[in-house]
Amino acid sequence: MAHALSANAIPAAAISGERLAPRSRVLTIAGIVLLVAGFAMVRTDPGFAAKAWLQAWLFAVSLSLGALFFVIIQHLTRAGWSVVVRRVAECIAANLLWLWLGFLPIAWLWFDGRLDTLFPWANLDHLREVAPEEAALVGKKVAFLNPGFFMIRAASYLLVWALLARFFLSNSVAQDSDRSVARSEKMGKWAGPAAILFGLTTTFASFDWIMSLNPAWFSTMFGVYFFAACCAGGFSAIALMSLRAQSRGLLKDVVTPEHYQDLGKMLFGFGIVFWAYIAFSQYMLIWYGNVPEETTWFMARQIGQWRIVSAALLFGHFVIPFLFLISRWTKRWRGTLTFGVAWMLVFHWVDLAYLIQPVIPHDIGKYDTYDALLAAYANEAAPVLNPGLIALSAGMLFLLVGRTLARLVRTGLLCKGDPRLAESLRFENF
Amino acid sequence: MTTFAPSSPPASAQSAPRPKIHGVLAEFHDPASLLHAAEKVREAGYRWWDCHTPFPVHGLDKAMGIQRTILPLLVFGAGLTGTTVGFILQAFTNATSISVWALVWVTGYPFLISGKPLISLPAFIPVMFELTILLAATSCVGLMLLLNGLPWLSHPLLANKRFLRATDDRFFIVIQSRDPRFFRSRTEDFLKGLGAKAVEAVEA
């Protein structure tokens, strides 16, 4: 391309994060204020407060996991095109170094003996009283679903993620000054094991933290679903942060429509189409099998207002963004891509609400027909627009963006020592 | 193209027309000079011409002034057709009876499977999906060939010894004789002026 920047010609001001520092402080403080305010709003209802916190925290975690997967897959495939957007991804993923703090409230519930506020399996005796049949099923899972093992697993996921994020960020930052090709080779070599570790930890974390909210229900596809959701959120976050940095005059001529188009393609492939493929596969198998202990999970998402949320997810997370982002032009124009990825972030959050918030009614077995169930629970509320939940989620998001910016201030916005930087700068789609 | 009146005598050897040629071939040794030359050929207003390179050269489409293909739109249409056909196929075969323009009554095979309604969208979606992919993928390949005017059983260029290196280390521009601006000697001089290392006619 005629006006591609050469690696030596990038002005230092274009890749220095200095001017992001004030924004990072404002966002961090706003995030903490919103978290406190949100907590004040939800604390009267401990059950909802715990779920609201879980959703807000997992929103931030899933964005970081999506970004971590992006970094791993770039090294695994030795991708050249993505070098100019990789630092942003590395810095979003590096939030996993502090996001473990968000698990402390759940750890405190465990320490306080109230883990069943969130997870019914933590108090089998109580579950036996309210839902004996469910308790009988859950009782067979205690070897896995018990508080001690649960905490050990959680600690191991959080540790693995922090180590992975640190490994890829610190090597990349060190490469900025030493320009060592060996570092790229080292990261490429470890990307394989990292991908395996990432897959296992993400899958089991989603089993533990989301699927076990309804402990009698199970789906082997659930981990993949959560992974696809992470991609939807994480890839959108990478694209949005690059777009925002560019509209503040950074990364000028470094990130081009060519890179945006490819980010858009990855979001389209993993976050929209693959997500829908997995979501539908999970739904169809359960719908076809029609086994009561499996269908209850979807029943809980079709009663009352959850019916609207399910439909909104089908159209907002798949049909509309599919048609919107399928074109080459919407992925290349900054305005349309900004709209598309912001839209996907909103619906990724709705997706988490859909996964976490609904409660399967304990008396679901007593209704003879689907219609009778719908009629009985016609007024079931979906607390998606609960101000406390929104405040907590916005707080976590602000904190995430604020800390990402703070890290970008320290590391700079570009992997300027990467041997594939020149290839990335002149990258062009055919 | 030329037709002779049956009564006219055969043309004498002296005034025999020169052998028909496919066009003129210009050889370049590096992508940069090919790109530069391609821009000049485009600016000169030639329309029936092409570049041949051993590997994809970035920016060549732009230099040649090639418009974006409409293939993606056609493939999208083919995909939508697949989705629709997939639905209609299943709805039609599952329907108890259906009237085709109120003229023909067709009785289907109404299979009740595990108590599901006869027209069950979730059960139809895998077939709709597969037909979408099938029609989109096959039409993508088929229409790509069609839009490119392929397949050709042979091509005049393939008989040219020099052209063999188009798959190795040489870059070629070929201007066809059917181009309205084509005039053999003038076109050859023009290509030589663009820095071609060799220029020669390709026999038809």
Side-chain angles (χ1 to χ4, degrees):
Chain A
M1 213 168 121
H3 41 268
L5 271 181
S6 87
N8 304 321
I10 303 168
I15 57 168
S16 148
E18 288 302 325
R19 73 176 93 159
L20 298 173
R23 181 66 62 93
S24 129
R25 281 191 288 274
V26 169
L27 281 170
T28 306
I29 293 165
I32 291 169
V33 169
L34 274 169
L35 283 183
V36 173
F39 185 70
M41 281 186 261
V42 294
R43 78 192 164 93
T44 46
D45 179 354
F48 179 65
K51 279 194 160 186
W53 175 254
L54 184 69
Q55 187 191 333
W57 177 62
L58 280 180
F59 184 48
V61 169
S62 60
L63 300 191
S64 303
L65 284 176
L68 178 63
F69 173 69
F70 182 85
V71 174
I72 293 174
I73 207 81
Q74 302 313 319
H75 286 298
L76 194 62
T77 56
R78 301 185 179 177
W81 71 272
S82 59
V83 172
V84 295
V85 289
R86 216 184 60 220
R87 178 55 51 81
V88 173
E90 286 164 351
C91 284
I92 297 174
N95 288 301
L96 291 164
L97 288 167
W98 62 267
L99 273 171
W100 59 271
L101 290 168
F103 190 74
L104 291 185
I106 299 166
W108 180 74
L109 283 180
W110 166 72
F111 187 73
D112 207 32
R114 294 192 289 139
L115 194 56
D116 63 323
T117 318
L118 206 47
F119 301 106
W121 49 261
N123 189 347
L124 263 185
D125 294 333
H126 177 69
L127 192 63
R128 247 176 233 120
E129 281 166 34
V130 293
E133 295 93 345
E134 195 180 338
L137 286 171
V138 178
K140 296 187 163 63
K141 305 184 183 181
V142 284
F144 189 79
L145 282 182
N146 62 76
F149 191 27
F150 174 82
M151 295 306 290
I152 293 171
R153 288 197 307 270
S156 67
Y157 311 146
L158 294 165
L159 182 70
V160 166
W161 294 341
L163 288 176
L164 288 179
R166 207 182 102 90
F167 171 76
F168 287 107
L169 179 70
S170 64
N171 269 295
S172 175
V173 171
Q175 200 178 39
D176 283 353
S177 43
D178 66 18
R179 290 168 192 271
S180 149
V181 178
R183 286 191 191 279
S184 287
E185 284 165 356
K186 185 165 85 173
M187 287 190 278
K189 192 175 77 182
W190 284 101
I196 295 170
L197 275 175
F198 172 87
L200 287 173
T201 49
T202 310
T203 303
F204 278 93
S206 71
F207 288 169
D208 278 6
W209 299 341
I210 307 178
M211 201 167 90
S212 84
L213 291 167
N214 305 111
W217 184 77
F218 57 91
S219 162
T220 47
M221 227 177 252
F222 199 83
V224 190
Y225 181 100
F226 181 67
F227 158 74
C230 286
C231 292
F235 296 173
S236 300
I238 298 167
L240 192 56
M241 288 200 75
S242 305
L243 285 160
R244 292 299 303 150
Q246 276 209 313
S247 54
R248 303 199 63 196
L250 296 163
L251 296 173
K252 195 170 183 302
D253 292 338
V254 175
V255 182
T256 66
E258 308 293 337
H259 304 106
Y260 285 131
Q261 193 191 343
D262 268 20
L263 277 173
K265 281 185 219 162
M266 289 198 61
L267 173 64
F268 185 81
F270 281 93
I272 299 173
V273 178
F274 182 63
W275 177 89
Y277 182 85
I278 291 301
F280 175 73
S281 302
Q282 177 171 277
Y283 175 77
M284 193 201 63
L285 288 177
I286 289 172
W287 173 84
Y288 232 129
N290 207 10
V291 179
E293 71 228 49
E294 290 176 350
T295 52
T296 49
W297 195 83
F298 283 105
M299 297 281 191
R301 280 151 186 79
Q302 290 175 8
I303 53 180
Q305 293 179 349
W306 285 114
R307 201 176 182 81
I308 303 165
V309 177
S310 299
L313 207 55
L314 168 64
F315 285 94
H317 206 301
F318 173 61
V319 178
I320 296 169
F322 177 86
L323 294 173
F324 183 73
L325 282 178
I326 196 170
S327 162
R328 163 190 175 92
W329 307 110
T330 47
K331 295 192 284 278
R332 291 174 73 92
W333 285 348
R334 295 167 40 85
T336 46
L337 184 66
T338 307
F339 176 78
V341 297
W343 173 286
M344 282 311 293
L345 279 175
V346 171
F347 276 94
H348 168 56
W349 180 81
V350 174
D351 186 21
L352 286 177
Y354 167 90
L355 291 178
I356 291 169
Q357 302 296 347
V359 181
I360 300 176
H362 285 310
D363 64 348
I364 198 165
K366 81 171 202 210
Y367 299 96
D368 289 336
T369 63
Y370 180 66
D371 293 334
L373 177 76
L374 288 193
Y377 283 92
N379 297 320
E380 181 79 1
V384 177
L385 297 177
N386 179 293
L389 173 64
I390 292 177
L392 281 175
S393 305
M396 279 309 294
L397 182 65
F398 282 15
L399 208 53
L400 183 87
V401 177
R403 294 337 289 155
T404 309
L405 292 181
R407 212 174 285 276
L408 285 169
V409 171
R410 293 201 293 279
T411 63
L413 270 78
L414 185 67
C415 304
K416 60 183 181 215
D418 194 292
R420 302 189 183 95
L421 177 60
E423 178 188 346
S424 183
L425 285 169
R426 54 161 200 270
F427 166 68
E428 216 176 319
N429 281 289
F430 276 104
Chain B
M1 284 292 142
T2 326
T3 48
F4 294 101
S7 57
S8 65
S12 71
Q14 221 170 15
S15 62
R18 300 167 80 181
K20 237 182 148 188
I21 58 167
H22 168 75
V24 168
L25 172 90
E27 178 184 308
F28 297 87
H29 285 195
D30 59 296
S33 47
L34 176 87
L35 271 175
H36 172 76
E39 278 172 9
K40 296 286 181 230
V41 176
R42 185 197 73 215
E43 282 163 13
Y46 286 101
R47 292 181 53 81
W48 286 95
W49 64 289
D50 207 351
C51 294
H52 304 268
T53 62
F55 52 81
V57 174
H58 281 283
L60 189 56
D61 285 12
K62 208 177 283 175
M64 292 175 67
I66 292 178
Q67 303 289 312
R68 282 208 67 78
T69 167
I70 57 158
L71 187 60
L73 271 178
L74 298 176
V75 173
F76 185 70
L80 279 184
T81 311
T83 318
T84 319
V85 167
F87 177 77
I88 292 174
L89 179 73
Q90 295 172 91
F92 178 76
T93 47
N94 271 332
T96 46
S97 65
I98 202 163
S99 95
V100 182
W101 299 301
L103 293 173
V104 187
W105 283 85
V106 181
T107 305
Y109 295 90
F111 266 120
L112 264 184
I113 297 166
S114 60
K116 303 287 192 288
L118 284 174
I119 309 290
S120 285
L121 196 57
F124 289 1
I125 283 180
V127 174
M128 289 159 69
F129 172 77
E130 294 299 344
L131 270 179
T132 306
I133 303 298
L134 180 74
L135 287 207
T138 49
S139 74
C140 188
V141 176
L143 289 170
M144 181 272 289
L145 293 174
L146 207 70
L147 290 175
N148 280 320
L150 293 171
W152 280 52
L153 293 178
S154 79
H155 193 279
L157 277 171
L158 298 176
N160 185 293
K161 281 276 177 288
R162 194 179 284 280
F163 189 73
L164 289 178
R165 289 177 80 172
T167 57
D168 186 5
D169 60 350
R170 289 291 189 264
F171 304 81
F172 294 94
I173 289 179
V174 177
I175 302 181
Q176 294 185 26
S177 57
R178 61 160 80 166
D179 192 292
R181 284 170 189 273
F182 183 88
F183 190 80
R184 182 167 168 180
S185 58
R186 208 182 299 153
T187 304
E188 280 179 352
D189 291 344
F190 169 66
L191 285 169
K192 275 179 198 141
L194 295 178
K197 300 287 180 196
V199 173
E200 67 180 44
V202 181
E203 281 169 31

